[in-house]
Amino acid sequence: MKVVIIGVGLIGGSFAKDVKKLHPEAEIVGVDKSDAHLEEALQLQIIDKKGDYGVLATADMVYVGIPVNVLVTELPKILDAVGEETVVMDAGSTKRLICEQVADHPNRRNFMACHPIAGTEFSGPTAALEGLYSGKTMIICEVEKTAFKLQEKALAIFQDIGMRIRYMNPEAHDRHIAYVSHLSHISSFMLGKTVIEKEKNERDIFDMAGSGFESTVRLAKSSPDMWTPIFEQNKDNVVETLEEYIQNLTTFKQLILDNDFENVHQEMSNTNKIKQILKGIPLTKK
């Protein structure tokens, strides 16, 4: 089996590691605009060799883990180069524009629009983790547009590495992910910005910051090169989530100004239900 990883960073590199563990005989070929990344991936044994789009015609599987602004321009070129039996999967955090970009491509049947709900705040080949995808959800959009035998090939590898599969249309995906992912990153970036601007003495931040602050701003360490295009492509949904979030912050601020701490407590108590949701436990109906 020949697997081509386009973008050998956290997402692509972690996928390569999991495939190699499952299929030690597989040949993993890396394609990346950064030769330094490719050399690093070779040294870390994430990939077996370097390549270019010329290897796509003989690939069984292509996994594309590059920023979404690059993805919309590169995906048609990737599909131009693939063989009839090649399945191409992306890992983009937006789906509508990507799906629209290749809707009329003659090799649309070779493409499966995917988004793994997995990752860390780190990037590059050194961030790649074996087992990153285990127990995580893979969202697949427009699965009916992928050739059935190629669907089977992709789904088999996802299931073998321990992923849950969820099907969704691109518009629903972008709307929902704006709430549970994109808003989280904006909140983290802006919290970090607020604290940095307020506490000019960075030693004070270091000394006083507890685990709560650290976990809340963890996502602020994420790559702006990756996240700026995501916010751009999902602008309408992101703005909608921000408006709702700002309204909730404004309401909470007003409760404090009004000394209405009974409702401050109630707001937080109501939100505690998130613990049950995140554990996958159905909420008890009152």
Side-chain angles (χ1 to χ4, degrees):
M1 181 169 65
K2 180 187 287 187
V3 179
V4 178
I5 306 295
I6 301 179
V8 290
L10 165 69
I11 297 300
S14 297
F15 184 77
K17 280 176 168 281
D18 283 348
V19 170
K20 198 68 171 177
K21 184 177 181 180
L22 283 168
H23 302 281
E25 78 291 350
E27 180 183 44
I28 311 291
V29 183
V31 178
D32 199 293
K33 69 174 184 179
S34 169
D35 195 61
H37 275 184
L38 289 173
E39 286 295 334
E40 201 168 23
L42 278 171
Q43 292 173 14
L44 294 168
Q45 299 183 318
I46 295 171
I47 60 174
D48 298 313
K49 60 190 289 189
K50 297 190 278 187
D52 55 29
Y53 286 2
V55 303
L56 299 181
T58 56
D60 295 289
M61 191 174 294
V62 178
Y63 193 72
V64 190
I66 57 180
V68 292
N69 59 325
V70 183
L71 184 57
V72 293
T73 58
E74 290 301 305
L75 187 55
K77 300 174 190 176
I78 292 166
L79 289 176
D80 286 342
V82 298
E84 188 175 330
E85 302 300 317
T86 307
V87 59
V88 178
M89 303 156 289
D90 79 310
S93 187
T94 60
K95 290 273 80 81
R96 181 186 60 81
L97 186 59
I98 290 164
C99 288
E100 288 177 354
Q101 192 72 6
V102 295
D104 299 319
H105 194 284
N107 289 333
R108 175 63 183 83
R109 62 184 291 281
N110 292 82
F111 174 57
M112 179 177 277
C114 302
H115 179 201
I117 310 301
T120 72
E121 67 272 31
F122 303 110
S123 58
T126 56
L129 295 170
E130 185 180 296
L132 177 71
Y133 294 95
S134 179
K136 304 300 195 307
T137 298
M138 178 67 83
I139 298 176
I140 300 174
C141 298
E142 299 184 335
V143 68
E144 71 282 357
K145 295 186 179 181
T146 307
F148 185 71
K149 62 182 178 180
L150 300 182
Q151 286 181 37
E152 289 185 311
K153 188 187 296 188
L155 291 172
I157 203 78
F158 294 153
Q159 289 164 349
D160 286 347
I161 62 179
M163 300 199 78
R164 299 186 296 266
I165 306 299
R166 176 78 187 272
Y167 299 99
M168 197 173 288
N169 68 58
E171 293 75 20
H173 168 275
D174 286 4
R175 185 170 64 254
H176 296 321
I177 208 70
Y179 283 92
V180 296
S181 175
H182 302 173
L183 180 59
S184 304
H185 282 79
I186 294 171
S187 301
S188 188
F189 277 116
M190 291 303 99
L191 175 59
K193 177 179 186 291
T194 302
V195 173
I196 288 170
E197 289 179 346
K198 186 66 177 176
E199 296 288 348
K200 298 300 183 184
N201 183 339
E202 293 187 10
R203 183 69 191 179
D204 287 344
I205 297 175
F206 180 80
D207 287 343
M208 297 176 67
S211 59
F213 176 77
E214 184 180 5
S215 63
T216 307
V217 298
R218 176 181 65 85
L219 297 177
K221 293 182 281 185
S222 301
S223 168
D225 292 336
M226 182 178 81
W227 280 97
T228 302
I230 290 170
F231 298 149
E232 181 180 6
Q233 286 192 13
N234 205 22
K235 174 184 171 181
D236 290 346
N237 288 312
V238 166
V239 168
E240 180 181 328
T241 64
L242 276 172
E243 287 173 345
E244 294 181 34
Y245 185 47
I246 291 166
Q247 181 57 54
N248 280 326
L249 288 173
T250 301
T251 300
F252 198 76
K253 173 187 171 184
Q254 192 60 50
L255 291 174
I256 293 173
L257 285 171
D258 294 341
N259 289 314
D260 187 357
F261 292 101
E262 182 178 343
N263 274 313
V264 166
H265 183 278
Q266 189 60 50
E267 287 282 295
M268 292 188 291
S269 179
N270 291 341
T271 308
N272 273 170
K273 294 175 183 176
I274 199 74
K275 291 185 291 188
Q276 294 168 288
I277 295 170
L278 292 177
K279 287 182 179 178
I281 301 172
L283 297 179
T284 303
K285 293 183 179 180
K286 300 287 185 180

